[in-house]
Amino acid sequence: MAQLVYVNNPANGELIHTLQYDSEEAIVSKVESAAAAFSSWKQRSAHERAQLLNSWAKCIRENRQEIGELITLENGKPLPEALGEVDYAVSYIDWYAEEAKRIYGRTVPAHVPNKRITVTKEPIGLVAAITPWNFPAAMMTRKAAPALAAGCTFIVKPAEETPLTTIRLIELAHSVGIPEDALQYVLNEGPIVGEIFTSHKAIRKITFTGSTPVGKLLMEQSAQTVKHVTMELGGHAPIIVAKDADLNVAVEQTVTAKFRNAGQTCVSPNRLIVHEEIAEEFTKLLVDKVQTLKVGNGFDPDVNVGPIINKKGFIKIKEQIEDAVNRGATLACGNGYDIDDEKGYYFVLPTVITDIPLDAKIMHEETFGPVIPVVTFTTLEEAVTIANDSPYGLAAYFFTENYKDGLYLSENLQYGIIGWNDGAPSGAHIPFGGMKDSGVGREGGSEGIEPYLETKYLSVGV
Ligand code: ADP
């Protein structure tokens, strides 16, 4: 008997759907059929692949409401955010449908008269993806679209918490003519699928979005078959607020960036580093704004902050708050939970923490929840030192109206994504990814298709 998997609504713990896990044999067989589909998929012209991707995008747009509701149901985020995610997910398909047609090679001037040298790009082969639950649609299309555009076939394991969105997106892809074998999903637990994906020789690339420990493990496992890897891992984003910052903009953008998806986003700000002269005023404005946020079921139109995805996530957040309080920190607002362990739902009130020592857990560990600490600085050098004191290097934000300070900060922050007076610096047309423990490679932009391509060099003697 195949094992059953239950998908529950994190807002109330109710069962949404029951699915069957694939057996290990079934997973291997799907991998092999996706590998076999590579030879015919890569032979389609780039224009034909682009047309199929465009049809997929159109079809998702036609089903925008249904998919948005599915995301809210299994992930919990407020419906407007879920609909925004659908648009964001489709924008990657749009972008890579265009990029498919721009996979250029080049000719290289030869070093001797009797040679001709050309460099071409080829699809890498079968790509396997493992995706997280926080953006069930966008994390999948951000990987599948460039892979399919490049001519790769693609197999994905969605997060156990949110498989339904992926399944539906793949059904829609098949309905518009993307071949069933070329785009597939498998369902089972992460470690089981991870082991099969990383050890199978037919898979040439692993693309993963999730936690840093799992990313490190997948890189280690992938070494055995020398697979290419793209890793989008954890983050611990700082926000530096300089003394000349426009405080209303800084507060507005901080709140949007921080509390989106209940803080369960890898680019979510995790530390506010505020100039001492404006810290009091900034914190007051921030707390006033945070207290207007409504927590609850994402289908309620007034709700801004949905549930935490599961108990594990909730416990981590709670431990970080308790650790801060035990070290003498003040809770400027928040500090409340609405949980029901039996039913299985966990809500955390948006929380701002002040008077916190730099060695508190939350200052170093990713929170993935609607909680943010505020610390102060005197000089910009000090702010940069605090900001860079992290194993992570995904996103960093700062607010200043001074261009010299802005350039200083953008050049000295060790992060792959920098938002200057901008709390939402993401998009299909720009390279997203981190430094240090935040990962390897970039997704989006013209950079985002390169990881799905091999370079071939041809030297012709004439
Ligand atoms: P989180 O703790 O936030 O769920 P994870 O990194 O554990 O973050 O999960 C992200 C994705 O990685 C999910 O699809 C999950 O099933 C998968 N995963 C978890 N553990 C492993 C593993 N050992 N090997 C491969 N995938 C894994």
Side-chain angles (χ1 to χ4, degrees), residues 230-281:
T230 295
M231 295 283 149
E232 296 288 355
L233 309 178
H236 200 265
I239 295 190
I240 296 173
V241 186
K243 74 176 166 196
D244 62 8
D246 181 327
L247 293 193
N248 290 319
V249 172
V251 166
E252 189 75 36
Q253 302 263 330
T254 298
V255 170
T256 310
K258 173 69 221 179
F259 298 100
R260 188 165 62 103
N261 209 10
Q264 303 169 108
T265 304
C266 49
V267 292
S268 180
N270 226 82
R271 295 166 287 161
L272 270 163
I273 305 165
V274 184
H275 192 275
E276 58 188 2
E277 286 176 25
I278 49 145
E280 202 177 318
E281 187 187 354

Side-chain angles (χ1 to χ4, degrees), residues 343-355:
K343 289 192 173 136
Y345 64 78
Y346 306 87
F347 291 91
V348 175
L349 281 189
T351 301
V352 176
I353 306 179
T354 56
D355 310 313

Side-chain angles (χ1 to χ4, degrees), residues 197 293 441:
F197 278 179
L293 298 175

Side-chain angles (χ1 to χ4, degrees), residues 130-133 157-161 188-195 208-212 214-215 217-218 221 310 312 368:
I130 298 178
T131 53
W133 46 263
K157 185 208 86 66
E160 289 88 321
E161 294 84 351
N188 206 319
E189 285 162 13
I192 291 174
V193 180
E195 178 64 39
F208 172 72
T209 299
S211 63
T212 295
V214 173
L217 177 71
L218 289 169
Q221 292 176 344
N310 55 28
K312 187 176 118 196
F368 248 55

Side-chain angles (χ1 to χ4, degrees), residues 378-450:
T378 310
T379 64
L380 273 192
E381 290 74 17
E382 190 190 349
V384 168
T385 303
I386 298 171
N388 286 342
D389 181 19
S390 168
Y392 296 110
L394 187 56
Y397 311 88
F398 59 81
F399 292 87
T400 179
E401 298 298 312
N402 180 309
Y403 83 93
K404 284 191 182 166
D405 289 349
L407 288 176
Y408 172 79
L409 289 169
S410 59
E411 286 166 9
N412 286 282
L413 289 168
Q414 295 158 356
Y415 289 83
I417 303 165
I418 307 278
W420 177 352
N421 293 343
D422 182 6
S426 187
H429 51 297
I430 44 190
F432 182 105
M435 300 176 179
K436 302 189 326 197
D437 275 12
S438 289
V440 179
R442 296 292 181 270
E443 293 185 318
S446 50
E447 288 86 351
I449 199 159
E450 276 295 324

